[in-house]
């Protein structure tokens, strides 16, 4: 009987690419030739660099970090292989997306033990990972190491500038920008786009517009779509729609693509300004230019109709989303829930919350909080108690201020039966605080109701 042909490392790479299930891919990697029984025994499988790269990537994307670390340990022991830096850049990136900053730092520090020379690529991967983890103190520390050995490049500075902007430290971002120029590094559209985005966040629109002009005049860098999108959103946020439209026209003249996000910004701003007809005009222009509506556009329209109290139109848009091959998200429903509660249409809001799972969208903590607050504001305490019970059962936590308002309302109307039910629910969910206890005890003592004190004592000793 002839032995089956052994799988080569080249063939293993092809099989790993085809295997979608990371667990099965791992089994294949660990035992590529399971059905061989040769005498003398088959030599250990000789993995290639590509084999390791493929399996590490699959495990990292699947967040199977324990298994990924095992493969990395095997790679370290496999002295025939000289790993490429890109493998570790990817691993650091996986840890960054999973908010595992310390793991990313550890991999970076261990790279020399894998016979890998660290360059600015792995430094930048680490900076990006730390940024995703929002560890700005560590980011500065790592960047300082790069500056000391002179390895920081334009990308490094861009990442640090982004970190400063995200952290709300725009002044520090400008300082980093100045240091970048002093180093003789060239600022690009990413650099300016990030700084302009930061200025627009703080509504410093004159400075943002000036920087856009300086990009071309002083730095010879052409503004890209992101620069225009930030400025347009900024002007829309402050109601300067004429300036925002002027920027859109400039984009068209410069043969730039006006994308769905920009159109959605205009639609939202026009509804907010009470210019519904103009919003529909923008929507028509969007369709004529072949720009497909996405969920952001639909949600902007839903929000606009809800602000106008036109819930029939809002529900019509909600139905159209599915018909046009898109899918409503929880934000779509929460916007309508908020609008209905604001108008006191609590029964309709409750019906919508119950209908969400049937429509293929499970309510989230925001959904429950919106309805709970609305019912409390409408003095519908029994219905609010029911929603509170369902919310806590599903692992969601109400806002502390909302609970205090609810308890205070129950105490004022003297609905002790509902109060005990709510107190039991809060205790069961372990979401009761000192202030809530104080309010209840104060009410019990004020009323001097011994039976109520007895009920309170029972709840207090619940294990």
């Amino acid at each position: 009987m002839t032995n089956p042909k052994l799988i080569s490392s080249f063939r293993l790479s092809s099989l790993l690419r085809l295997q979608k299930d990371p667990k099965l891919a791992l089994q294949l990697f660990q035992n590529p030739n399971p059905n061989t029984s040769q005498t003398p025994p088959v030599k250990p499988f000789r993995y290639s660099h590509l084999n390791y790269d493929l399996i590490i990537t699959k495990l990292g994307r699947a967040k199977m970090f324990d298994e990924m670390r095992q493969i990395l340990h095997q790679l370290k022991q496999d002295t025939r292989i000289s790993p490429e830096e890109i493998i570790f850049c990817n691993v650091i990136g996986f840890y960054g997306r999973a908010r595992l900053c310390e793991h990313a730092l550890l991999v970076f520090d261990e790279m020399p033990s894998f016979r890998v020379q660290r360059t600015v690529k792995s430094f930048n991967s680490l900076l990006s990972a730390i940024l995703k983890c929002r560890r700005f103190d560590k980011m500065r520390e790592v960047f300082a190491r790069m500056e000391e050995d002179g390895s920081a490049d334009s990308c490094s500075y861009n990442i640090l500038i982004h970190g400063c902007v995200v952290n709300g430290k725009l002044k520090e971002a400008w300082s980093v920008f100045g240091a970048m120029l002093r180093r003789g590094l060239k600022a690009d559209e990413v650099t300016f786009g990030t700084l302009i985005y930061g200025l627009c966040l703080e509504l410093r629109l004159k400075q943002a517009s000036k920087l856009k002009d300086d990009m071309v005049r002083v730095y010879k860098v052409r503004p890209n779509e992101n620069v225009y999108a930030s400025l347009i959103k900024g002007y829309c946020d402050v109601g300067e729609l004429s300036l925002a439209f002027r920027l859109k026209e400039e984009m068209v003249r410069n043969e730039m693509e006006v994308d769905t996000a920009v159109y959605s910004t205009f639609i939202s701003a026009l509804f907010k300004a009470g210019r519904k007809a103009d919003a529909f005009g923008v929507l028509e222009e969007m369709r004529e230019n072949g720009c497909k509506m996405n969920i952001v556009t639909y949600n902007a329209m839903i929000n606009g109709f809800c602000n106008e109290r036109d819930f029939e139109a809002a529900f019509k848009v909600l139905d159209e989303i599915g018909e046009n091959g898109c899918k409503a998200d929880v934000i779509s429903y929460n916007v309508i829930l908020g609008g209905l509660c604001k108008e006191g249409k609590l029964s309709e809001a409750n019906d919508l919350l119950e209908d969400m799972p049937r429509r293929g969208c499970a309510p989230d903590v925001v959904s429950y909080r919106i309805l709970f607050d609305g019912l409390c504001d409408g003095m519908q305490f029994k219905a609010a108690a029911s929603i509170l019970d369902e919310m806590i059962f599903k692992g969601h936590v109400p806002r502390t201020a909302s609970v205090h308002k609810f308890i205070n309302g129950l105490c004022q109307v003297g609905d002790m039966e509902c109060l005990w039910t709510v107190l039991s629910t809060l205790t069961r969910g372990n979401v009761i605080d000192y202030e809530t206890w104080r309010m209840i005890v104060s009410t019990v003592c004020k009323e001097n109701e011994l039976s109520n004190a007895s009920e309170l004592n029972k709840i207090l000793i619940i294990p």
Side-chain angles (χ1 to χ4, degrees):
M1 182 176 177
T2 57
N3 289 315
K5 187 175 180 181
L6 298 179
I7 291 177
S8 66
S9 61
F10 180 81
R11 176 61 177 157
L12 178 59
S13 294
S14 299
L15 294 173
L16 288 172
R17 283 196 186 95
L18 294 171
Q19 181 53 253
K20 303 299 182 185
D21 187 329
K23 292 181 179 179
L24 294 178
L26 178 60
Q27 291 177 16
L28 177 61
F29 179 88
Q30 292 174 329
N31 195 9
N33 291 304
N35 300 318
T36 57
S37 56
Q38 291 187 0
T39 305
V42 180
K43 293 180 180 180
F45 190 86
R46 293 177 66 87
Y47 294 98
S48 69
H49 176 275
L50 183 57
N51 296 156
Y52 282 109
D53 190 5
L54 288 168
I55 191 61
I56 288 170
T57 300
K58 283 185 179 293
L59 295 174
R61 286 174 177 167
K63 297 184 179 181
M64 295 171 62
F65 295 128
D66 289 340
E67 293 83 352
M68 185 179 74
R69 279 192 290 269
Q70 291 173 13
I71 300 301
L72 284 171
H73 179 73
Q74 180 178 328
L75 176 59
K76 183 186 286 189
Q77 306 303 316
D78 194 344
T79 55
R80 298 176 306 101
I81 302 290
S82 295
E84 293 180 7
E85 187 180 20
I86 186 61
I87 287 182
F88 298 90
C89 292
N90 290 335
V91 170
I92 290 168
F94 296 140
Y95 282 132
R97 286 188 284 277
R99 307 295 189 266
L100 297 171
C101 184
E102 298 305 323
H103 289 74
L105 287 163
L106 182 61
V107 169
F108 180 80
D109 289 338
E110 288 182 337
M111 283 177 64
S113 68
F114 284 85
R115 307 167 298 282
V116 179
Q117 178 67 39
R118 292 180 301 202
T119 72
V120 69
K121 290 180 181 178
S122 48
F123 262 116
N124 288 342
S125 295
L126 182 60
L127 276 177
S128 294
I130 298 171
L131 173 59
K132 288 183 175 70
C133 297
R134 298 295 191 263
R135 290 285 304 278
F136 302 109
D137 54 334
K138 274 291 180 189
M139 209 174 166
R140 258 300 189 186
E141 184 182 314
V142 170
F143 189 82
R145 288 169 60 183
M146 297 177 70
E147 280 192 312
E148 284 178 11
D149 61 22
S151 62
D153 62 4
S154 295
C155 181
S156 315
Y157 280 92
N158 284 343
I159 296 168
L160 186 59
I161 289 170
H162 187 190
C164 294
V165 169
V166 169
N167 198 27
K169 296 185 177 181
L170 189 57
K171 185 177 180 180
E172 191 173 332
W174 279 99
S175 176
V176 175
F177 173 63
M180 178 182 185
L181 297 181
R182 287 193 296 274
R183 279 278 312 275
L185 296 171
K186 182 175 172 58
D188 57 16
E189 65 272 10
V190 176
T191 318
F192 292 109
T194 306
L195 290 170
I196 288 171
Y197 171 75
L199 289 168
C200 290
L201 279 180
E202 296 187 1
L203 300 181
R204 293 162 61 179
L205 300 173
K206 285 186 178 179
Q207 287 175 264
S209 294
K210 182 180 182 303
L211 184 57
K212 178 187 80 73
D213 295 338
D214 286 347
M215 282 178 67
V216 178
R217 186 175 56 83
V218 178
Y219 300 100
K220 313 303 179 188
V221 178
R222 185 172 180 262
N224 61 12
E225 287 85 349
N226 292 332
V227 169
Y228 282 96
S230 294
L231 284 164
I232 287 170
K233 187 177 186 309
Y235 280 119
C236 284
D237 286 343
V238 298
E240 294 281 0
L241 295 179
S242 59
L243 291 175
F245 274 108
R246 197 177 301 166
L247 284 166
K248 181 176 76 70
E249 291 165 5
E250 190 176 314
M251 288 181 74
V252 174
R253 284 198 305 273
N254 292 335
E255 298 181 347
M256 290 183 175
E257 180 184 358
V258 182
D259 64 10
T260 305
V262 171
Y263 281 119
S264 300
T265 299
F266 277 115
I267 290 169
S268 181
L270 288 166
F271 265 110
K272 185 178 179 181
R275 295 166 56 181
K276 182 166 66 173
D278 290 333
F280 281 116
V282 169
L283 187 62
E284 186 60 33
E285 178 187 326
M286 181 178 175
R287 287 169 176 157
E288 288 175 357
N289 290 339
C291 192
K292 191 176 181 181
M293 293 175 66
N294 63 12
I295 192 61
V296 177
T297 318
Y298 284 115
N299 285 345
M301 294 180 65
I302 288 172
N303 186 59
F305 285 125
C306 286
N307 287 337
E308 290 194 335
R309 303 176 188 139
D310 189 350
F311 297 106
E312 184 179 347
F315 275 107
K316 185 178 179 183
V317 173
L318 190 64
D319 293 333
E320 286 178 1
I321 294 175
E323 295 171 6
N324 292 337
C326 202
K327 180 176 172 56
D329 60 13
V330 72
I331 297 173
S332 315
Y333 291 95
N334 288 347
V335 169
I336 299 178
L337 281 171
L340 290 170
C341 289
K342 186 178 179 181
E343 291 302 307
K345 297 180 180 292
L346 301 173
S347 177
E348 291 93 328
N350 190 66
D351 290 343
L352 179 60
L353 185 80
E354 292 180 354
D355 199 37
M356 284 175 65
R358 185 186 64 78
R359 289 172 171 260
C361 183
D364 65 0
V365 62
V366 177
S367 313
Y368 283 104
R369 285 178 174 178
I370 289 170
L371 183 55
F372 177 69
D373 290 352
L375 290 168
C376 290
D377 290 339
M379 304 287 284
Q380 295 190 20
F381 296 128
K382 281 187 168 54
S386 177
I387 288 296
L388 179 66
D389 185 70
E390 183 179 342
M391 176 193 272
I392 289 177
F393 175 77
K394 292 191 174 180
H396 301 311
V397 179
R399 281 184 285 259
T400 303
S402 300
V403 173
H404 292 169
K405 186 176 182 180
F406 184 30
I407 296 296
N408 187 55
L410 287 172
C411 292
Q412 285 184 5
V413 300
D415 191 343
M416 302 306 292
E417 181 182 352
C418 188
L419 179 62
W420 302 129
T421 301
V422 169
L423 184 55
S424 178
T425 298
L426 292 170
T427 306
R428 188 175 67 249
N430 196 29
V431 292
I432 193 165
D433 64 355
Y434 168 79
E435 179 62 23
T436 305
W437 282 118
R438 189 195 64 76
M439 293 168 65
I440 295 170
V441 171
S442 175
T443 300
V444 171
C445 293
K446 184 178 180 181
E447 296 296 329
N448 194 27
E449 297 183 12
L450 295 179
S451 60
N452 286 344
S454 176
E455 289 294 327
L456 180 59
N457 185 58
K458 289 178 184 177
I459 294 173
L460 281 167
I461 62 175
I462 288 177

